[in-house]
Amino acid sequence: MKESVSVGLLGLGTVGSGVVHMIESHQEELQQRVGCVVKVGKVLVRDIEKNRGVDVNEELLTQDPDEVINNPEVDVVIEVMGGIDQAKEYILASLKNKKHVVTANKDLMALHGRELLTAAVENESDLFYEASVAGGIPILRSLVEGLSSDRITKLMGIVNGTTNYILTKMTKNNVPYESVLKEAQDLGFAEADPTADVEGLDAARKVVILGTLGFSMKVGLDDVKIKGITEVDAEDISYSKKLGYTIKLLSIASSENGSIELSVQPTLLPSRHPLASVNDEYNAVYVYGEAVGETMFYGPGAGQLPTATAVVSDLVAVIKNMRLGVNGKSVILPQHERKLKKDDEIKSKYFIRLFVKDEAGAFSKISHLFKDHGISLEKLIQEPVINNGTAELVIITHETNHQAFEDVHSQLNDLDVVVEVKSRYRVEGM
Ligand code: NAP
Ligand code: HSE
């Protein structure tokens, strides 16, 4: 084993600077854990002149990717530049050069993870990506190591800090959506284009990674049903609270009889559920295993040092494997072909809020429609809307299947007593 391991960084932004800071400030602990010096050998950036708030010898900076990925001195490449095409090209080239790779890139791993992991195995190199889901929470290693003896049946995650921050402020401080989004952008959690956060795409990329590992299944982004938080309004939140629930953007991956469901959507959770108290920009992943029962992993889902912690822990795993000569052996490829649940196999309760004509027989017509589809009603609130002859009706159903609920939803719009269906959400966690 070499006396020192040299790390080449692709990127020196928020996460890259945190990685350099951790390698320097935790050098003593790192050496104890891996038995050699860990040093930064080369760093790819776009702008060499930029002030970065971290001390890096100017001679280490380069604008030429070859000086990292084709550099014989570099043992491990850490990709923290983001983006898809260039990052993929550089990682594949690094693996072909027998370098090990650590990445924080969720977008890339959700889209091209299988191809990259296959290349790692073929080249007997490691490719680890703990930071790609839930930042500082070691959830990927917990799934594939800590819970490896169990059969996981359900994963529910709050894995996007921006939307959790927005929903928390809307719920606790009654702040309107637009002004909280601006706050989240100013605080630096939101993506450069926050559409990926608020429309659920960022959480969907993370649930692809969670589902692939949790159920060892070859799934992709097209397999995720995605709904973001842009339509959640103050009334949805207020009625949810009255009924004892909290709205969270949940990423769900669940498995039954060998078929799985992947989805991202605003979901009502009972306010006593452990995920309901995950607030602000924090993340959490709830994992249900047949043997272990309920577990939950909680912590910061983004930010410089939390994310760097995950990246540097992956680096430690790579160097330990180098000592043992087993690189590439713990890279995990999904085993099962994709098998998705049909809509009538997805079971949950639902919340629906609608405006109806405030007249005799209106509720009877609505309740008959639910009954005709075998859906029983669990809770309801009806409030008259002053002076316009309508009433607002909020219903929580008992457990049903997604197909039956969607059929009712579309037929409600055809009933003469229904003025408008305002919103509908899944209800989980009973
Ligand atoms: P960032 O602050 O924008 O930093 C990106 C860095 O990469 C910059 O140093 C930039 O160089 C460099 N870079 C980008 N494209 C390049 C190119 N084509 N050639 C050379 N250098 C290039 O991004 P970040 O927030 O650190 O995020 C990095 C990765 O970590 C992303 O994949 C992100 O999704 C992931 N991640 C981030 C967080 C977080 O909290 N920030 C959490 C989890 C995962 P210049 O500095 O010269 O412009
Ligand atoms: N925009 C992401 C979030 C950053 O809000 O969680 C971490 O992936």
Side-chain angles (χ1 to χ4, degrees), residues 106 132 159-163 189-191 197 202 206 283 301-302:
K106 60 219 162 180
S132 65
V159 290
N160 181 269
T162 304
T163 46
F189 324 127
E191 300 294 308
D197 294 301
D202 177 75
K206 292 167 180 166
N283 281 197

Side-chain angles (χ1 to χ4, degrees), residues 220 296 371 377 418:
M296 195 169 98
K371 179 179 144 280
L377 309 184
V418 172

Side-chain angles (χ1 to χ4, degrees), residues 130-169:
E130 182 64 69
S132 65
V133 180
I137 309 174
I139 181 63
L140 303 189
R141 206 156 267 119
S142 300
L143 288 179
V144 298
E145 289 180 8
L147 294 169
S148 61
S149 61
D150 205 355
R151 202 175 289 135
I152 292 167
T153 55
K154 192 159 195 171
L155 290 148
M156 294 198 293
I158 295 173
V159 290
N160 181 269
T162 304
T163 46
N164 203 37
Y165 185 84
I166 294 172
L167 290 175
T168 302
K169 297 294 171 208

Side-chain angles (χ1 to χ4, degrees), residues 204-356:
R205 288 168 175 152
K206 292 167 180 166
V207 84
V208 168
I209 298 172
L210 288 172
T212 304
L213 283 176
F215 305 119
S216 192
M217 195 176 277
K218 297 172 188 170
V219 285
L221 208 49
D222 290 345
D223 300 322
V224 189
K225 291 198 174 106
I226 310 173
K227 183 174 168 191
I229 64 161
T230 50
E231 286 166 23
V232 178
D233 68 18
E235 280 70 35
D236 292 328
I237 289 177
S238 162
Y239 278 116
S240 301
K241 274 199 230 175
K242 274 189 200 160
L243 292 161
Y245 294 90
T246 304
I247 301 187
K248 295 288 182 189
L249 184 72
L250 276 200
S251 298
I252 299 176
S254 73
S255 163
E256 211 178 331
N257 304 324
S259 301
I260 75 164
E261 178 217 353
L262 296 177
S263 63
V264 172
Q265 69 230 287
T267 304
L268 273 72
L269 284 165
S271 298
R272 63 178 183 281
H273 191 279
L275 281 171
S277 53
V278 175
N279 286 322
D280 301 319
E281 72 274 24
Y282 277 86
N283 281 197
V285 183
Y286 166 99
V287 184
Y288 191 88
E290 273 181 13
V292 72
E294 293 181 298
T295 60
M296 195 169 98
F297 302 81
Y298 168 86
Q304 184 168 61
L305 291 180
T307 310
T309 307
V311 171
V312 179
S313 296
D314 275 350
L315 173 63
V316 167
V318 168
I319 303 174
K320 284 183 175 171
N321 284 349
M322 287 167 77
R323 293 192 77 80
L324 296 169
V326 294
N327 297 103
K329 301 279 189 282
S330 51
V331 169
I332 295 181
L333 281 165
Q335 299 301 309
H336 305 299
E337 293 306 321
R338 167 180 166 280
K339 196 170 167 220
L340 300 177
K341 285 189 194 177
K342 299 191 179 69
D343 278 353
D344 61 2
E345 295 170 322
I346 296 171
K347 307 257 170 46
S348 92
K349 299 183 176 195
Y350 289 91
F351 164 107
I352 188 161
R353 176 162 76 92
L354 56 163
F355 287 101
V356 299

